[in-house]
Amino acid sequence: MSAKTLGIVIPAFNEEKTLYQNMQKLTHVLSGDRIDHRILLVDDGSSDGTWEVIARLTAESSRFSAIRFARNFGKEVALCAGLRAVSGDYVLIMDSDLQHPPRYIKDMIALLERSGADIVDGVKASRGRENPLYKCCASAFYGLFRRVTGIDLRNSSDFKLLRRPVVNAINALDESHVFFRGLVSWVGFKHETFSFSVDERIGDTSRFSLSRLIRLSLDATLSYTSKPLYFTALAGGIFLLFALILGIQTLYTFFSGSAVSGFTTVILLLLVIGAILCASLGILGAYVARIYDEVKHRPQYIISEQKTHEE
Ligand code: UDP
Ligand code: MG
């Protein structure tokens, strides 16, 4: 296979049950494909025995190293931390539950080298078994996200292969709230897509609850675009137009002596304008909160422990 080394970043959050077997499977496939690899595990503040499993992996093999967060900072942040610490000419991002199947890795590397691309994006050909509510929310989110940002993230995934310059470019970005797929798309470079079918998550369910998914979509939108701020201006414009038309009509009825009535209109207008004002304030507030968070300049994550193989 390729003479380049492959660094793999894998975030793990409460994965004690499956992590060990999954990592065994992964290294087995990679060794079979003769890919020279290093695996960096990021323990995203797990509250179960994930760190002990990781300690065992790093003790057994020099291919493993790991960092541990002081608390759960979220997958997006874990990926950023992983990218800063990982070595290798190529860097692969994948999930610890092997829903991003290792058997595709050699094809992704081949595609990267053959096409001369800098980034290979794994695209889900089928989304695997997901609960219908999750599926529905994911599709609503991607639809909204595409409309607001102009980027199509549908079926996109965090299964990505990056060349070193891309990793360096992402590491140079200095934001505290990140949406990883948004960053990878923002830095540019030459992309190739690789379509794969998602495997089942064995013995467990997704770590993302509905509320986490909603938070992720908010984070994604707020960190990627400031368009919603202009929506408020647009709403203002539309209402100005209505105000003009209704204003003229009101003045006309007043001067022609047939005023009064129109109580319904007043109530409706009050309600609609009130709602729009509140919504606009909410959008403004969301961005102000972000600015506040960014100017505090807190570190994106806190590493409590690191592990490498000791001879
Ligand atoms: N994960 C993480 N931090 C979190 C939630 C998830 O590091 O707060 C990791 C998790 O351990 C897994 C990957 O992100 O390796 C994807 O999570 P999961 O399989 O639960 O998500 P889904 O497959 O539903 O996208
Ligand atoms: Mg999964």
Side-chain angles (χ1 to χ4, degrees), residues 4-20:
K4 307 276 189 186
T5 54
L6 177 70
I8 306 181
V9 176
I10 304 182
F13 177 55
N14 293 345
E15 304 278 6
E16 66 172 358
K17 280 195 224 120
T18 50
L19 190 64
Y20 191 80

Side-chain angles (χ1 to χ4, degrees), residues 265-282:
T265 328
V266 174
I267 294 284
L268 281 180
L269 274 178
L270 265 178
L271 287 176
V272 173
I273 293 176
I276 297 248
L277 271 179
C278 284
S280 312
L281 277 177

